[in-house]
Amino acid sequence: MGKLVVLTVLGASLALIGERLLTFRERITTSREIKSIEPQNCYLIEGLENGSEDIDILPSGLAFISTGLKYPGMPNFAPDKPGRIFLMDLNEQNPKAQALEISDGFDKESLNPHGISTFIDKDNTVYLYVVNHPHMGSTVEIFKFEEQQRSLVHLKTIKHELLKSVNDIVALGPEQFYATRDHYFTSYFLVLLELIMDFHWTYVLFYSPREVKVVAQGFSSANGITVSLNQKYVYVADVTAKNIHIMEKHDNWDLTQVKVIHLGTLVDNLTIDPATGDILAGCHPNPMKLLNYNPEDPPGSEVLRIQDVLSDKPRVNTLYANNGSVLQASTVASVYHGIMLIGTVFHKALYCEL
């Protein structure tokens, strides 16, 4: 009897793993033909050669760009160089990317920046929040931006047991932010198992000096996060589920789901068009090419605009699409006064006039 039970459980387990493996293969190997959609006036940004994973643009037109991300399973063209934060002034005639100096007291060699977010205080002080992966861990670094010196002053490193495998961040106040956890496990083998089994164990957390808590959970792989212009809604990209969750934000910082927008492509970082409130999503149309990188057949790039987010029928249109011949593995797009910057996991960055 005991052997029968063991065999039954084993058989059911193998059947479940087989079913999940087939589903994962279908989800990851699905690769769409990319029809090129490119604004006429686009050029690669000089100096950004090793990724531009996240971009945040201030209302003044100053754009912060995180570069040099080292992420398990992803290519990196400069593995021995630390990450950097670059700045571009989009008000200039021919804006250039400039690496920001970081104050002493911060271990610059350990900078491995992922998602970033800016916060402007009441006295107009600009703070930059950076998801960092020093030695493949996860911290949030808070910097003060010194505009005249074009530098960052390190203020604080935030660590917490819930800040594991952090992907992206959106700052909403002094030391107040939401952050996404994209994997439950941290070892590469277990992450692969998690992706195959699709456990839906990842979450969004809220952090403040007084309280740290999970405010939304059940995501396949919570990735990009941003907030609506009126700060009533939070938008969360579930990358492997290929969708965006529209969440209502409550006074106690909890989030409740309003709806899910399915996009049929791997959704990475999200930003908001400050003029319209539309969501811009950096996407990966070729998942397998991203995971199994071949420079002769690279992963493409795709940027979507989602309009009328709260309506019954949101409108989705493509702002940019390329098969990888110009830009590989797009992660983010951010706009300012008719200018769009597109970033990537490990490749270059693109400047476009819309």
Side-chain angles (χ1 to χ4, degrees):
M1 184 66 179
K3 290 182 180 179
L4 180 60
V5 171
V6 170
L7 289 173
T8 301
V9 172
L10 180 61
S13 299
L14 290 174
L16 176 62
I17 293 173
E19 182 268 330
R20 292 295 174 92
L21 188 58
L22 287 174
T23 302
F24 171 74
R25 183 179 178 183
E26 179 181 350
R27 192 167 69 235
I28 296 300
T29 57
T30 300
S31 188
R32 303 191 337 270
E33 178 110 16
I34 300 299
K35 181 181 179 182
S36 180
I37 299 176
E38 302 176 41
Q40 288 188 346
N41 193 5
C42 289
Y43 63 85
L44 294 171
I45 301 170
E46 185 178 350
L48 299 180
E49 310 291 337
N50 303 313
S52 42
E53 207 281 338
D54 205 5
I55 301 171
D56 198 351
I57 305 176
L58 294 176
S60 64
L62 294 177
F64 294 89
I65 306 168
S66 66
T67 71
L69 173 66
K70 299 170 186 65
Y71 193 81
M74 295 292 165
N76 186 282
F77 297 148
D80 298 326
K81 291 184 178 180
R84 302 293 298 270
I85 303 295
F86 279 76
L87 186 77
M88 289 185 72
D89 187 346
L90 301 182
N91 298 296
E92 296 178 353
Q93 181 102 17
N94 297 297
K96 306 292 184 184
Q98 172 189 356
L100 292 174
E101 294 298 323
I102 298 178
S103 63
D104 294 336
F106 176 76
D107 183 5
K108 304 176 186 65
E109 293 298 314
S110 71
L111 184 59
N112 185 15
H114 205 157
I116 61 175
S117 179
T118 55
F119 172 72
I120 304 174
D121 213 341
K122 294 177 182 178
D123 62 0
N124 291 322
T125 301
V126 175
Y127 297 94
L128 180 68
Y129 289 64
V130 179
V131 174
N132 190 26
H133 300 299
H135 315 294
M136 294 304 169
S138 286
T139 64
V140 172
E141 310 293 345
I142 303 179
F143 299 92
K144 182 172 73 170
F145 173 55
E146 297 286 357
E147 185 171 352
Q148 296 300 320
Q149 292 79 18
R150 290 293 199 262
S151 65
L152 296 171
V153 177
H154 184 251
L155 301 178
K156 189 173 185 177
T157 297
I158 295 177
K159 300 178 181 180
H160 192 274
E161 60 183 8
L162 290 178
L163 286 170
K164 304 292 185 184
S165 194
V166 183
N167 186 295
D168 199 14
I169 186 171
V170 58
L172 297 176
E175 293 189 45
Q176 292 178 324
F177 58 81
Y178 290 114
T180 56
R181 179 172 185 169
D182 58 8
H183 299 297
Y184 181 82
F185 296 109
T186 54
S187 78
Y188 186 60
F189 172 76
L190 290 177
V191 165
L192 287 177
L193 177 64
E194 180 182 349
L195 287 172
I196 292 170
M197 296 305 294
D198 200 19
F199 288 132
H200 286 256
W201 287 351
T202 70
Y203 54 69
V204 176
L205 68 86
F206 168 74
Y207 178 93
S208 75
R210 295 184 177 181
E211 183 180 30
V212 185
K213 61 180 179 178
V214 174
V215 292
Q217 53 192 326
F219 301 94
S220 179
S221 181
N223 197 295
I225 187 168
T226 192
V227 65
S228 63
L229 290 180
N230 61 13
Q231 298 209 347
K232 291 183 178 180
Y233 298 94
V234 172
Y235 308 138
V236 182
D238 192 340
V239 58
T240 49
K242 303 181 180 180
N243 59 39
I244 298 174
H245 292 248
I246 312 301
M247 318 289 290
E248 184 178 0
K249 180 169 74 70
H250 300 286
D251 292 340
N252 65 353
W253 302 97
D254 285 349
L255 302 176
T256 55
Q257 184 168 290
V258 175
K259 63 188 297 185
V260 178
I261 300 175
H262 298 277
L263 294 175
T265 186
L266 268 67
V267 192
D268 206 311
N269 290 330
L270 308 175
T271 64
I272 300 298
D273 185 333
T276 63
D278 299 341
I279 299 175
L280 273 67
C283 303
H284 303 288
N286 312 120
M288 187 53 72
K289 291 182 181 182
L290 182 65
L291 295 175
N292 187 23
Y293 182 71
N294 177 2
E296 301 300 319
D297 186 21
S301 293
E302 184 177 38
V303 174
L304 301 180
R305 178 189 290 274
I306 300 96
Q307 300 172 284
D308 303 324
V309 173
L310 296 174
S311 70
D312 291 336
K313 293 183 178 180
R315 292 180 293 154
V316 180
N317 60 77
T318 304
L319 291 182
Y320 180 87
N322 177 264
N323 63 4
S325 60
V326 175
L327 198 68
Q328 303 174 15
S330 57
T331 55
V332 64
S334 195
V335 294
Y336 172 80
H337 291 187
I339 296 169
M340 177 170 65
L341 302 182
I342 306 175
T344 65
V345 182
F346 54 81
H347 195 229
K348 302 181 181 183
L350 200 67
Y351 175 105
C352 293
E353 293 178 4
L354 298 175

